[in-house]
Amino acid sequence: MPGMCPHCGPESQCCMEETNSSCFFLVAYADGSGAQGSLVEDEVQIGDIKTQAAFGGMVTDVGDFQRTGIDGILGLAYPPLACNPTCLKPVFDEIVEQNKVEEDMFTICFAGAGGSLVLGGFDAKMAKSVPFYVPLMKEEDRKYYRVGLSKSLIVGGVELSMPEMKAAVIDSGTTLIVFSDTTFNKLASHLKEKHCDVPDLCERNSWFHEVACFADDEEILDKMPNIEIPFSNGEKLELEARDYLIPFYSDIFKFRCVGISTMGSGSENADVILGNTINTKYLTIYDRKHERMGFALTEKNCGGTAGCSVLKTCADCAANVACAYSYKTKQCFSRAEHDTLMPYPYCHGYFCYCSAEAYMPWRLLLGPLEVIAVIGLLSVVVVFFRRWPRRRVSYERPVGDVEGAVDEEYTTFVE
């Protein structure tokens, strides 16, 4: 891969500049983040599965690559994509070749806060519907999990012709649904023409823009139409407003964000990328043995194997913005079910005082003071919202790397 190798060894290997004994690697993402370092070989363990494999050891990183609570990225795409620039055999391919799993397939389930990865099969307990399958597109040198589309979208029961929607990549390493500019603009125009009963949707400062956010509003969620994505074999994914307007929590407030982005003029590999906006509702079965992708509605908390409930300590629960901790039961719950401004008996984020959890009386005095401060802040916010249209919050996430990397983090900023 020209331009990626800082130093070539005596046999044209891509080497670290400091030494010819270490092979060099570089990964880069669409948000400007990335990492580089040397390749190493060691025993890798995932659950009860152990194997010898080569992988990258990061020496330096740029942008927002290295994040708290994340130890690395596990790439699950096909081998031709594992050249950065030195080509490696991916860890899962090593596991399959050594017959350490029953089948050449894996399943990914997201639970809002965490998720589950099943290597070698599909666990029916994680799904609340029977899976349907879509064949992978025939390719001589397959890199991505590409499936055919029907060149249309169904919005509120109305089929919209989308000639540019011919193929989609299913990618757990992309956070959102990614359309071309043309597809997104057609969708937005249809919504603003046919669904003006939705608050502020058809206003000049409409909140419906790619990766734009607004204060959580049940009326919007109730009135926005379902969006269906049909595959070429007749199967389809159906998303309700609560699926494609994804929740985002700050320390105090809850927002909804348009879980759709654009890829500019398009990609040579796909017309659409189906990322975690899809995967939160549907678990995905990567059935490489039978060259197909499977989808099934996700059971709550992936059938009990993921989600806030698996976080056992106050500190771990508080570190996840989607979770709320109960001082009374000492359990972690979904914040959507226990989101309150009163920091007792449930708390979240910075409102949790885990280090002094055993001593509660002083907290009962501190709690009301916090509530008074929050109410004062809310009063200012209410006045602001009455005088001005909805302010939008935008966020960026790494999209378009389509390497099967499991990376769900993102950054936020206010316009």
Side-chain angles (χ1 to χ4, degrees):
M1 194 172 291
M4 285 185 63
C5 189
H7 180 67
C8 292
E11 299 180 7
S12 299
Q13 313 98 317
C14 186
C15 302
M16 294 287 290
E17 288 187 275
E18 295 80 3
T19 171
N20 287 344
S21 62
S22 299
C23 290
F24 173 81
F25 87 90
L26 169 69
V27 292
Y29 295 90
D31 67 339
S33 66
Q36 65 181 36
S38 60
L39 298 178
V40 297
E41 185 172 346
D42 203 346
E43 183 179 77
V44 176
Q45 181 170 349
I46 305 174
D48 296 329
I49 301 172
K50 298 180 182 180
T51 186
Q52 286 291 128
F55 54 91
M58 184 179 70
V59 175
T60 59
D61 71 310
V62 295
D64 190 31
F65 182 82
Q66 190 171 6
R67 302 172 185 178
T68 302
I70 297 175
D71 298 316
I73 293 176
L74 175 63
L76 290 167
Y78 286 96
L81 210 60
C83 298
N84 297 288
T86 304
C87 296
L88 302 175
K89 184 178 294 182
V91 173
F92 184 62
D93 288 79
E94 292 278 10
I95 291 172
V96 171
E97 288 191 11
Q98 295 174 27
N99 296 315
K100 296 192 175 184
V101 291
E102 292 184 5
E103 295 193 60
D104 185 7
M105 63 184 294
F106 59 90
T107 303
I108 295 178
C109 176
F110 289 99
S116 291
L117 170 66
V118 178
L119 299 181
F122 158 64
D123 186 352
K125 294 194 299 293
M126 298 195 307
K128 58 183 178 182
S129 70
V130 176
F132 67 83
Y133 291 90
V134 181
L136 291 171
M137 299 181 72
K138 298 295 183 182
E139 297 177 276
E140 183 176 344
D141 195 17
R142 182 176 287 133
K143 296 180 180 179
Y144 308 100
Y145 298 98
R146 291 209 309 162
V147 295
L149 299 176
S150 70
K151 303 181 183 179
S152 66
L153 276 179
I154 301 173
V155 182
V158 177
E159 186 169 8
L160 307 180
S161 176
M162 299 286 185
E164 64 279 4
M165 288 183 62
K166 301 181 292 294
V169 166
I170 314 299
D171 181 46
S172 63
T174 298
T175 309
L176 309 174
I177 296 172
V178 186
F179 287 149
S180 67
D181 284 335
T182 302
T183 298
F184 184 85
N185 290 337
K186 285 183 181 179
L187 171 61
S189 296
H190 175 81
L191 291 172
K192 294 174 184 179
E193 179 183 348
K194 301 296 184 180
H195 296 276
C196 287
D197 60 320
V198 178
D200 296 339
L201 174 62
C202 301
E203 298 297 324
R204 181 178 180 182
N205 292 323
S206 172
W207 52 265
F208 192 84
H209 294 277
E210 61 167 314
V211 295
C213 299
F214 56 91
D216 191 28
D217 189 324
E218 285 296 318
E219 186 179 0
I220 289 178
L221 299 178
D222 291 338
K223 291 185 175 181
M224 283 293 284
N226 292 358
I227 296 177
E228 300 173 49
I229 303 175
F231 294 108
S232 56
N233 68 341
E235 300 287 358
K236 61 186 177 183
L237 299 171
E238 182 174 352
L239 301 176
E240 299 176 355
R242 287 172 173 78
D243 302 318
Y244 63 83
L245 299 177
I246 57 181
F248 167 69
Y249 294 92
S250 68
D251 287 329
I252 300 176
F253 301 109
K254 179 182 179 182
F255 299 91
R256 286 279 175 172
C257 305
V258 178
I260 305 172
S261 183
T262 63
M263 63 178 80
S265 59
S267 165
E268 61 178 333
N269 300 301
D271 309 300
V272 177
I273 302 172
L274 299 179
N276 301 154
T277 302
I278 295 292
N279 294 338
T280 302
K281 181 173 185 177
Y282 293 92
L283 64 81
T284 46
I285 305 168
Y286 296 74
D287 188 350
R288 311 199 314 178
K289 178 180 179 180
H290 299 102
E291 299 186 338
R292 62 182 185 174
M293 290 294 305
F295 301 89
L297 293 174
T298 301
E299 187 61 78
K300 182 179 179 180
N301 293 331
C302 298
T305 61
C308 299
S309 61
V310 303
L311 302 175
K312 301 304 181 183
T313 69
C314 175
D316 288 342
C317 187
N320 194 314
V321 294
C323 299
Y325 183 74
S326 170
Y327 291 117
K328 289 185 175 180
T329 66
K330 301 188 184 302
Q331 292 177 302
C332 192
F333 299 91
S334 169
R335 182 172 166 183
E337 301 170 0
H338 301 284
D339 195 18
T340 173
L341 292 178
M342 179 68 73
Y344 183 85
Y346 296 98
C347 69
H348 55 78
Y350 293 118
F351 290 93
C352 291
Y353 299 93
C354 302
S355 60
E357 182 182 358
Y359 185 66
M360 296 299 301
W362 71 272
R363 192 195 319 279
L364 298 178
L365 295 175
L366 182 61
L369 295 177
E370 289 180 329
V371 173
I372 291 171
V374 168
I375 291 174
L377 176 61
L378 285 176
S379 300
V380 175
V381 172
V382 168
V383 172
F384 177 83
F385 272 92
R386 284 179 176 174
R387 294 185 177 182
W388 298 94
R390 297 175 187 273
R391 295 193 70 203
R392 297 192 307 275
V393 181
S394 300
Y395 59 84
E396 289 183 340
R397 300 182 177 184
V399 296
D401 69 282
V402 291
E403 294 188 6
V406 182
D407 184 4
E408 302 162 44
E409 297 290 313
Y410 53 88
T411 59
T412 64
F413 64 93
V414 179
E415 286 185 337

